[in-house]
Amino acid sequence: MTNPLLTAWDTPFGLPPFDAIEDDHFAPAVEKALADARAAINAIATSDEEPSFANTIEAMALAEGDLDRVLGAFYGVAGADSTPAREALQRDFAPLLSAFGSEVSSNKDLFARIESLWQARDTLDLTDEQAMVLKLTHRSFVRQGAELEGYASDRLRDVTARLSVLGTQFSQNLLADERSWFMPLSEDDLAALPDFVADAARAAGEAGDHGGPVVTLSRSLIVPFLQFSPNRALRERAYNAWTSRGMNGGDTDNRDLAAETLALRAERANLLGYDSFADFKLETEMAKTPQAVRDLLMQVWEPARTSAEADQTKLQAMMHNDGATGPLEPWDWRYYSEKRRQAEHDLDESVIKPYLQLDRMIDAAFDCANRLFGLEFSPIDAPTYHADVRLWEVTRDGQHVAVFMGDYFARASKRSGAWCMAMRSQQRLAGDIRPIVVNVCNFAKPAAGKPALLSYDDARTLFHEFGHALHQMLSDVTYASVSGTSVARDFVELPSQLFEHWLEVPEVLTKYATHADTGDAMPAEMLDRLLAASTYDMGFQTVEYVASALVDLEFHATDDAPRDPMQRQAEILEEIGMPHAIGMRHATPHFAHVFSGDGYSSGYYSYMWSEVMDADAFDAFTEAGDAFDPALAKRLEDTVLSSGGSVEPDVLYTAFRGRMPGVDALLRGRGLAA
C-alpha cells in the first residue's frame, strides 16, 4: 500500500493528507526520511568539492526536507490528539532522532567543512542573513559537542539520547495523570455554580462517558470551579489533584525523571566546559547570564510579593467572615478573590463570559491583524487531524501568505496548555514556501447547540497564541533555520505578549464583545470596569509565575544538580518568602515547559524578559495616540515580525523602538509600580 506521507501531497496548499494518513504510516515514513537525510548529510561531508556556503550550509538546510515534512505532520497530531499508538511512536522516535542529531553534530568531516567556512567568513561575500545562518550553524555544532573527542564525545551522545527519552516520558506521564482523574458532581454541587461552569462540567461528563457531570484537570474547567464553588472540601480535593499531577506514585510519577534530567543537564554542561547548565543555556539568549535573569526576576518579585501579601490579608478576613477558621489556603484564593473582584469592581465572570464568545474573539484577532498588517482570513475546507480543527487561508492584497489552523477545545487526547507550532515554516531556499501555522488551546467545549464562551484570561490566551502565529505568518527570510519563531527564547514571547495588548484596546471589545443570546455589545460601563480591573489580583499572578521561574533558574544554575528536586524546590520557595496561600504556577512534577524538553529549561523567565519589551513596545502605539498607527505597524513588521532570527534580537528591538527598555513599563502595566 502506498504511504501517503512519502508521496507528493496533492492537497490544498500542500497540507498533510490527514484523511489518508494512518498511524501505521508514520514509522516507515520516518525510517525512509531518516535514511535519505543521513545519505544527504554523508554526501555533503565526504564531497571532494571545496567547501562553500552553497554546497555545505545550504545543502545541509535542504538535506532534511522530507524528514521535516513527515515530523511536522506527526508532532502536530501527537501533541494535540494523542493515542496509545502515537505515544508509542513518540517513545520510539525520541532516541532515533536524538541519535541522528548526534551523528550529524559529531561528523568530523562535516564539521571540518563548517569550520573552514567559519574561519574564512570575512572573505565569503555573504549576505547578512547568510552570515547569521553560518554563525548559528557553527555555534550549534560546537554546543552539541563537535569539538569533543573520545570519551567526552561518546558520553555527550549518550546523555543527549537519554534526555530525549526522559522528556518524552515526562510529557506522557503528565498527560496520563490529566486524563485519568475526574471528580463527579451532584446536582446540588452544580446548582451552586454559574451556568457556564455547570454546562462545562456536564459537557466534560458526556465527553468522558462518566455518566454525569464532572470536574476534570482541564485548566479551562478546574480554574473556574475553584473560582466559584462554595464547597471548600471539593475545592481542596480538586486543587490537590491539580497540583499533584506527576507525583501520584506508580508508573506516571515524574519526580525521579526530573532528578535524572537535572543531573544529566549538569553533566552535559560540564562536558562542554560550562560552570552550570544555566550558563550553557543562557549563553545564546538575550539575558546571557544566570545573574542577569535573577536580577530581573527579583526586581519584580519584591513588589509582587508585597502586593500579594496585602491581598492575602484581605481575602483571609473575608474567609473568616464566612465562618471558616485557620489560614487562607491555596484552594481558597481564587474563590475569595473572585468574590472580592465582584465586590470591588462589580465584575461577575458569569455575567462577562456571554460577551466573550470564542468565534467573536477569533474575529477580533483577525480584525486586528487586518488593521495592523493587511491580512485577510478566509475559511477553507480540507482534511484535518481532528473534527474540532478549523482552517483559514491567510492572504494579503490577494496573495497567499499562510494557512492558519485553530484547534481550540480541550479533550482527553490533548496535552494541557496552549501553544503555537508550524507544520511547515516559511523559507525561500527550496522555493517560495509559505507556512502552515497551528494554534492549539484548551478552552471548555460547550454543550451541543451552545456557543463557546471564554473568560477574559482565555481571550488573552487566544490573542497570545495568535501573536506567535503572526510571527510565523509574516516571516520573510530565505532560510528555514531563522524563520518565524526561530529566535532567542527570551525574545520569542515578545510578539505573542505584545499582541495581547490589542485585546485591551476599547474599540476592539466594543465591536466584538457581543452577548451570546442578545447580540448586544458589552455595555460601556461594564467595559470600563473590565479594563480598569485588568491588573486586579496581579500580585497573585506574578508571584505564582516568578516563583516557578526562580525555581527553574536555581535548579540549573549549579554544577551540583539537586538529588531531591522536591526538597530543593521547597528550600527555594522558603528562601524567597513564598506566601503560604499561593502555589507555584508549575510545580516540578508537572513543569512541562522545563522537563518535557530543553525548550524552556533555564528559560521560563523568558516570558518576563519579553514582557519588559512588550510593555515598552506597546507604549510606542500609546504615545502615537493610535493603537493601529500604520507607520508603527509597518515598522513592527519590518523589524521584529518578518526578520525571524536573521538578526540579533537586541538589534531588532532597537530598530523598532530606538533603544532597549527598562523594567518600569512592566511594573506599571502590572499595577506593581511604587
Side-chain angles (χ1 to χ4, degrees), residues 352 354-357 360-361 364 508-515 519-523 527 530:
I352 294 170
Y355 289 98
L356 300 176
Q357 300 175 69
R360 295 293 286 160
M361 292 300 101
V508 174
L509 287 176
T510 297
K511 181 176 181 180
Y512 288 101
T514 56
H515 199 279
D520 294 339
M522 180 180 288
L527 176 59
L530 179 64

Side-chain angles (χ1 to χ4, degrees), residues 246-297:
M247 54 183 294
N248 291 307
D251 292 340
T252 63
D253 198 296
N254 277 333
R255 286 171 288 190
D256 288 345
L257 299 185
E260 185 179 357
T261 296
L262 292 172
L264 290 175
R265 286 175 178 166
E267 183 181 0
R268 177 184 179 188
N270 181 259
L271 288 167
L272 291 167
Y274 293 87
D275 291 338
S276 71
F277 183 79
D279 286 293
F280 163 72
K281 190 69 183 295
L282 295 172
E283 179 186 49
T284 61
E285 309 299 333
M286 294 181 74
K288 300 301 182 189
T289 68
Q291 190 58 50
V293 174
R294 193 176 290 110
D295 289 345
L296 169 68
L297 293 174

Side-chain angles (χ1 to χ4, degrees), residues 248-403:
N248 291 307
D251 292 340
T252 63
D253 198 296
N254 277 333
R255 286 171 288 190
D256 288 345
L257 299 185
E260 185 179 357
T261 296
L262 292 172
L264 290 175
R265 286 175 178 166
E267 183 181 0
R268 177 184 179 188
N270 181 259
L271 288 167
L272 291 167
Y274 293 87
D275 291 338
S276 71
F277 183 79
D279 286 293
F280 163 72
K281 190 69 183 295
L282 295 172
E283 179 186 49
T284 61
E285 309 299 333
M286 294 181 74
K288 300 301 182 189
T289 68
Q291 190 58 50
V293 174
R294 193 176 290 110
D295 289 345
L296 169 68
L297 293 174
M298 292 310 296
Q299 284 185 72
V300 179
W301 173 258
E302 293 300 340
R305 184 181 64 177
T306 298
S307 175
E309 287 174 340
D311 290 341
Q312 179 173 305
T313 299
K314 295 177 181 178
L315 299 182
Q316 184 166 284
M318 293 174 65
M319 185 184 76
H320 290 168
N321 287 338
D322 275 356
T325 59
L328 186 79
E329 298 290 350
W331 49 88
D332 298 317
W333 189 293
R334 287 179 173 86
Y335 178 71
Y336 284 101
S337 181
E338 179 62 25
K339 292 182 71 171
R340 181 183 167 208
R341 185 173 76 137
Q342 293 182 30
E344 294 187 1
H345 294 278
D346 193 21
L347 287 174
D348 182 342
E349 188 163 313
S350 64
V351 176
I352 294 170
K353 284 193 85 164
Y355 289 98
L356 300 176
Q357 300 175 69
L358 171 61
D359 286 352
R360 295 293 286 160
M361 292 300 101
I362 294 171
D363 290 344
F366 287 175
D367 186 46
C368 289
N370 176 261
R371 295 180 65 182
L372 289 165
F373 310 115
L375 301 178
E376 297 181 337
F377 299 80
S378 302
I380 55 178
D381 184 18
T384 61
Y385 60 82
H386 191 277
D388 287 343
V389 178
R390 300 160 67 178
L391 296 171
W392 292 268
E393 181 189 8
V394 187
T395 60
R396 179 157 59 183
D397 299 326
Q399 299 298 308
H400 178 73
V401 171
V403 170

